[in-house]
Amino acid sequence: MSVAYLQTPLGTAYIEGDADGLQIVSITNDTIPSDFVSIPEDLAIGVQQLADYFSGKRTVFDLKLNPKGTDFQKRVWEELLNVPFGRTMSYLELSRRLGDEKAIRAVAASNGKNPIWLIVPCHRIIGSDGSLTGYAGGLWRKKWLIEFEKGGLQGSLF
């Protein structure tokens, strides 16, 4: 398994994967480790696409993904990929798209366990009343991403 890091406006992105695809993309407040030398070939395109996203050059990711999770979690994560850049959707609507609005709690829990930050856009899922509920990376990051994708942060990235 290869590892890479990318400094973003929201912190340090940790990227893990191999030739079978990205398994983990997470965000931390940590700095890039001093012993990190270079981006492994298997992760270069993922790092580049993340950098392009933050520079405003990319709205859609085209990457091989290989997240680890249950079949249900993977269904939720697949459906998240259908939420367009700049748009949001409620947990209830996501549950309905998956065929069972009564599964809203399980859908929300799966959304929260998404191992591929940003690329699988769990930040685009909000409460039915429009509130920013739950986000593993912190609600301030969720708010930043939603505003960025709606064009509210253009020109103030760096």
Side-chain angles (χ1 to χ4, degrees):
M1 197 65 52
S2 299
V3 171
Y5 300 89
L6 175 69
Q7 193 60 49
T8 78
L10 299 175
T12 301
Y14 169 86
I15 301 119
E16 184 177 306
D18 56 25
D20 293 328
L22 297 179
Q23 285 190 3
I24 298 171
V25 178
S26 62
I27 189 74
T28 72
N29 293 325
D30 300 334
T31 59
I32 295 175
S34 59
D35 61 349
F36 178 67
V37 180
S38 64
I39 298 167
E41 186 177 326
D42 287 343
L43 303 180
I45 191 165
V47 171
Q48 183 59 56
Q49 287 191 19
L50 283 166
D52 289 347
Y53 169 90
F54 283 108
S55 68
K57 297 177 189 170
R58 177 171 292 279
T59 60
V60 176
F61 293 96
D62 182 21
L63 298 166
K64 191 173 183 182
L65 305 177
N66 189 19
K68 302 298 179 210
T70 66
D71 289 343
F72 181 79
Q73 288 171 332
K74 289 178 182 179
R75 279 186 49 226
V76 171
W77 302 334
E78 281 291 320
E79 190 59 39
L80 288 171
L81 294 171
N82 295 321
V83 182
F85 181 91
R87 301 276 178 92
T88 57
M89 173 187 299
S90 71
Y91 290 97
L92 181 60
E93 185 178 346
L94 181 60
S95 298
R96 287 177 178 151
R97 284 189 178 197
L98 289 162
D100 185 0
E101 72 178 47
K102 292 179 182 175
I104 189 169
R105 288 198 162 127
V107 168
S110 295
N111 191 63
K113 292 184 190 248
N114 170 22
I116 303 182
W117 174 73
L118 185 66
I119 296 166
V120 176
C122 59
H123 63 279
R124 296 178 187 153
I125 307 304
I126 60 174
S128 294
D129 62 358
S131 62
L132 300 182
T133 59
Y135 191 63
L139 287 179
W140 71 271
R141 285 188 176 109
K142 183 173 188 165
K143 182 178 186 231
W144 191 99
L145 289 166
I146 289 170
E147 288 178 1
F148 173 70
E149 290 186 2
K150 291 186 183 232
L153 295 175
Q154 295 298 334
S156 64
L157 280 177
F158 301 99

